[in-house]
Amino acid sequence: MIRFTVSLVIGLAIVVAAAIWLSDRPGQIAIEWQGWLIELSVGRFVLAAAVILTILIFLYGLVRAIGGAPRKLRDKRRKSRREKGYRALTHGMVAVAAGDPNEANRHARRADILLNEPPLTMLLSAQAAQLNGDEDAAAQYFKDMLDRPETAFLGVRGLLMQAQKNNDRPMVLHYAERACQLQPKTPWVLTTMFDLQVAEGRWRPALATMEEAVKRGALTADEARQRRATVLLGCSREAEDEGNAADALRYARRANTLAPDFLPAVLRTVDLMVASGKERPASRIIHNAWVRTPHPELARIYGCIGIGDDLLKRVRRFERLLSFNPDHPESHIALADAAMAAELWGEARNHLEHAAGEEPSARVCRMMAELEERVGENPEALRTWLLRSAGAPPDAAWICDDCGAAWDNWSPRCGDCGALGTQNWQPPTRARGISLGLGLSGDAEEEPLLLGDEIVDEPVDDASAAAQGYRTRS
Ligand SMILES: [Zn+2]
């Protein structure tokens, strides 16, 4: 309207200026049309034309203003509806955050009616249904969201979370894969996929997902470094299960190169190397590892090298192994074992005594008992060692840092709690407690497991465990 008025004033000003200009330049205009003759001075003609034009412009504006009124009214009403709808949506979200299901539901319905935009209100309706404990209704809303490209991802996320809550692993995997198709670069999708792949033992896809997660910032480089070697060992197992020994060794070596002090990687690498006839490089790796991390499994694999050798030659090789870490009890136990196999009773006894020290472990006690049994000269000593083995400090095992379960063999993922890369070779500690193969596990810190009147000190070797009624898992 203002624009119209301004144009009118400017128009009139131009007309007046033109009239003045023309009055200074007089003349006549004659119009003859259909027998009519109109004669006018130029000034009057221009004035008449200007008046007619002005009236026409005014009439046009008036008609437009009257004709557009209903539309403007409609627009105003629509705008007000949308504002009310968004307000209801906001109140609904606040109600969801506050955990008020009735309010959330009321506002969700109101927003749905006012906005008539299902993509905006579906999520609120689903959340309101969840707050009401109506998971079926929520699932239906999430499924409806799947049909619209703009809400499909939100729908998948809702359904995935429902499946996780219900512990429905196949559906979790299904929706995680769907989420991955929709938004393959979303951090939480990648970490969820990784956890699921690890849980399913799909190590090679897990490795690829992990690398993508690092690239997308879902995992820090530090977190990835710790997990990578573990996942690579999982890949190695997966390849071995498929009969692909070369790939199995390749993955193990990669893990070993990434983390040279990571004992499970050393063990798996040398085990696979010895199995594929690569005994010399395997020996070298064992010698190097023995300096830092002597381990019974490492000794067992070392014993498999040169299987055709005579027993005395085998003892000489274990003497060499001992030379890499001469003070460690594990070196003496390994050599004693080889000496016993060669029936060198004196040498075996010497090294077992060296390994025993002040407080022999259950394993050393058992080996001593075996020695006495095989020599057969001192039944009393045999009995004493057997008794001592039952009360001896427990040997180390693969203990899960998360749940405390003890295992004979390392695995990438704890078979009890499912944690990744949490098993460490260590003596069980009094503080943590272990799961006992009796279906008991966890919470050992708060409630130490009791046998008789004593706190279980987590013995892990078979004999003492058997003596005390529990065992490690294998
Ligand atoms: Zn565990």
Side-chain angles (χ1 to χ4, degrees):
M1 198 66 185
I2 293 168
R3 211 173 63 181
F4 174 72
T5 314
V6 170
S7 335
L8 193 67
V9 170
I10 293 171
L12 281 172
I14 292 169
V15 168
V16 170
I20 293 165
W21 185 80
L22 285 169
S23 65
D24 293 342
R25 292 164 183 80
Q28 289 287 319
I29 286 175
I31 299 168
E32 193 183 348
W33 179 64
Q34 297 283 310
W36 290 81
L37 176 69
I38 302 168
E39 285 185 343
L40 285 168
S41 66
V42 173
R44 282 186 178 177
F45 171 76
V46 171
L47 188 65
V51 168
I52 290 167
L53 193 68
T54 307
I55 289 168
L56 283 177
I57 289 170
F58 178 75
L59 284 175
Y60 174 71
L62 200 67
V63 168
R64 266 195 66 176
I66 293 166
R71 186 173 56 80
K72 279 183 183 165
L73 206 66
R74 266 201 315 275
D75 285 352
K76 200 176 165 190
R77 210 178 293 154
R78 200 176 296 147
K79 197 178 161 196
S80 153
R81 239 178 119 80
R82 281 181 77 81
E83 276 171 7
K84 281 180 191 163
Y86 280 118
R87 216 173 299 139
L89 199 64
T90 311
H91 288 317
M93 284 172 176
V94 171
V96 166
D100 185 342
N102 294 333
E103 273 295 283
N105 222 357
R106 193 169 68 81
H107 288 299
R109 274 204 305 274
R110 191 167 156 73
D112 197 28
I113 294 165
L114 288 168
L115 288 174
N116 197 24
E117 283 187 55
L120 283 175
T121 52
M122 270 177 176
L123 182 63
L124 179 60
S125 303
Q127 286 177 326
Q130 278 185 317
L131 273 182
N132 261 327
D134 191 349
E135 289 294 333
D136 290 342
Q140 194 50 53
Y141 280 118
F142 289 134
K143 280 177 185 160
D144 291 344
M145 287 162 87
L146 294 181
D147 299 334
R148 296 164 185 271
E150 65 271 36
T151 52
F153 187 68
L154 278 175
V156 167
R157 188 174 202 260
L159 290 165
L160 188 139
M161 286 167 84
Q162 277 192 323
Q164 275 178 328
K165 210 161 120 190
N166 298 336
N167 226 356
D168 185 350
R169 196 187 280 179
M171 287 320 279
V172 172
L173 194 62
H174 169 75
Y175 288 122
E177 278 167 355
R178 183 93 190 260
C180 220
Q181 285 165 2
L182 291 168
Q183 304 258 355
K185 291 163 186 173
T186 307
W188 72 262
V189 171
L190 290 168
T191 47
T192 306
M193 269 307 277
F194 176 75
D195 291 343
L196 289 168
Q197 286 162 337
V198 164
E200 294 283 308
R202 292 164 57 192
W203 295 103
R204 279 169 291 185
L207 183 66
T209 306
M210 193 186 77
E211 300 303 353
E212 186 66 25
V214 176
K215 218 187 288 173
R216 303 285 160 205
L219 269 181
T220 65
D222 241 20
E223 288 169 331
R225 215 186 339 267
Q226 285 169 6
R227 293 182 191 188
R228 196 172 281 116
T230 306
V231 174
L232 280 167
L233 292 184
C235 295
S236 171
R237 285 186 175 203
E238 203 179 5
E240 192 184 28
D241 290 345
E242 290 165 7
N244 191 341
D247 264 8
L249 180 57
R250 196 169 54 81
Y251 281 120
R253 289 189 86 146
R254 222 176 116 195
N256 186 218
T257 311
L258 273 175
D261 288 335
F262 185 39
L263 188 56
V266 176
L267 292 174
R268 180 142 190 89
T269 305
V270 292
D271 198 17
L272 291 168
M273 282 174 109
V274 171
S276 59
K278 297 181 173 71
E279 293 186 343
R280 265 176 178 279
S283 287
R284 270 200 303 277
I285 294 174
I286 293 173
H287 292 158
N288 287 336
W290 199 261
V291 177
R292 296 185 301 273
T293 50
H295 188 274
E297 180 65 6
L298 211 51
R300 184 196 67 76
I301 298 166
Y302 195 67
C304 296
I305 295 173
I307 203 82
D309 294 348
D310 64 52
L311 293 171
L312 285 176
K313 203 172 166 187
R314 199 162 165 270
V315 172
R316 298 289 90 80
R317 282 202 297 107
F318 272 96
E319 280 171 354
R320 174 137 198 259
L321 185 66
L322 179 135
S323 72
F324 288 97
N325 200 339
D327 296 325
H328 201 284
E330 211 57 62
S331 302
H332 292 280
I333 292 172
L335 181 50
D337 192 48
M340 268 166 63
E343 299 189 348
L344 301 175
W345 309 125
E347 190 170 348
R349 189 184 299 278
N350 281 343
H351 287 290
L352 281 178
E353 281 169 358
H354 207 293
E358 296 285 305
E359 199 178 16
S361 69
R363 184 155 61 113
V364 171
C365 293
R366 283 199 313 279
M367 288 179 77
M368 276 294 206
E370 189 191 341
L371 178 71
E372 295 299 351
E373 189 184 15
R374 291 183 67 184
V375 173
E377 289 173 358
N378 193 346
E380 189 54 38
L382 165 63
R383 220 175 359 261
T384 306
W385 282 115
L386 280 176
L387 280 171
R388 282 186 79 176
S389 77
D395 289 314
W398 293 104
I399 311 281
C400 172
D401 280 343
D402 270 21
C403 70
W407 303 87
D408 288 335
N409 298 305
W410 183 88
S411 60
R413 186 173 167 270
C414 174
D416 227 24
C417 68
L420 179 74
T422 50
Q423 293 174 4
N424 286 305
W425 183 255
Q426 57 193 341
T429 58
R430 190 177 284 271
R432 185 175 285 280
I434 59 168
S435 56
L436 298 185
L438 302 169
L440 304 168
S441 70
D443 292 334
E445 268 174 291
E446 287 162 40
E447 286 185 1
L449 292 157
L450 300 177
L451 283 177
D453 291 324
E454 288 180 14
I455 293 173
V456 173
D457 205 3
E458 305 173 1
V460 291
D461 60 276
D462 291 341
S464 60
Q468 299 192 34
Y470 56 95
R471 58 181 169 75
T472 50
R473 290 86 184 284
S474 49

